[in-house]
Amino acid sequence: MIIEQPALFLRWLYPRATWRMNRHEKAVYLTFDDGPIPEATPFILDVLAKYGIKATFFMVGDNVRKHPDVFRQVVEAGHRIGNHTFNHIGGFRHSISSYSGNAELANEYLHTNLFRPPHGWMRWDQYAWLGRKYRIVMWDLVTRDYSKWMTAEGVVNNVKRYARNGSIITFHDSLKSIDKLRTALPESIEWLKSQGYEFKVFD
């Protein structure tokens, strides 16, 4: 559960970050990290369109640079865009200036006020600095679709076990995830709909 749902100390470490939305509202927020890439993102867009769902894509700036056509597909479909740095860099290995500079380089392509740190970590000074410009969006549920030890069934079971009112659910539009998501994403959506959840994006 420490992996699938963030430990309390993480929420305390970044207290102004958004970890979960309204716990009194029967709604979830689907998010996708690390794209866009042509091998995964178009499939995800097709599934979301089939169910009439909007989601938030936290994008790596260099992937947008390399795949501008896929980026346009996401934008034209009406999904929300978030910043995931330009090179998917970890905060602990970088100074505040290099880390924030990397995020700003990404935002030249993304033009968003949402930010999610790769790996879910950054130094507190980076968090404080970026929080002046961006809404820092974390997660309430990580499906672990990226794990080589996780099956599609396991991804769906994580959704069933941990989803709750206001959950920010994290999937990945990546090469590590796509084979599982071809089954797990539609099955997860079907289950969430059967439980009466509405699907929302951030204001």
Side-chain angles (χ1 to χ4, degrees), residues 22 54 59 141 171 186:
N22 189 347
K54 302 301 181 190
M59 295 185 170
L141 164 56
F171 295 96

Side-chain angles (χ1 to χ4, degrees), residues 5-17:
Q5 288 188 316
L8 283 177
F9 82 87
L10 278 178
R11 298 176 188 253
W12 292 335
L13 185 60
Y14 310 120
R16 295 192 306 276

Side-chain angles (χ1 to χ4, degrees), residues 43 76 83 106 152 169 186:
F43 167 78
E76 290 171 0
N83 187 328
I169 303 175

Side-chain angles (χ1 to χ4, degrees), residues 54-59 74 78-82 111-114 135 201-203:
K54 302 301 181 190
T56 303
F57 288 77
F58 287 91
M59 295 185 170
V74 178
H79 299 289
R80 192 79 158 86
I81 304 299
H111 307 292
T112 179
N113 68 331
L114 303 179
R135 178 179 185 177
V201 294
F202 308 100
D203 295 332

Side-chain angles (χ1 to χ4, degrees), residues 41-110:
T41 310
F43 167 78
I44 291 167
L45 291 176
D46 287 344
V47 173
L48 295 175
K50 174 183 176 181
Y51 292 100
I53 292 170
K54 302 301 181 190
T56 303
F57 288 77
F58 287 91
M59 295 185 170
V60 174
D62 197 40
N63 283 343
V64 176
R65 181 190 65 81
K66 291 185 290 189
H67 309 296
D69 53 333
V70 184
F71 173 67
R72 282 193 296 271
Q73 291 176 38
V74 178
V75 173
E76 290 171 0
H79 299 289
R80 192 79 158 86
I81 304 299
N83 187 328
H84 206 45
T85 74
F86 189 78
N87 300 109
H88 199 266
I89 60 173
F92 290 152
R93 297 184 177 182
H94 293 268
S95 67
I96 185 172
S97 60
S98 65
Y99 190 76
S100 61
N102 197 271
E104 288 307 295
L105 179 58
N107 218 41
E108 292 179 12
Y109 293 85
L110 299 168

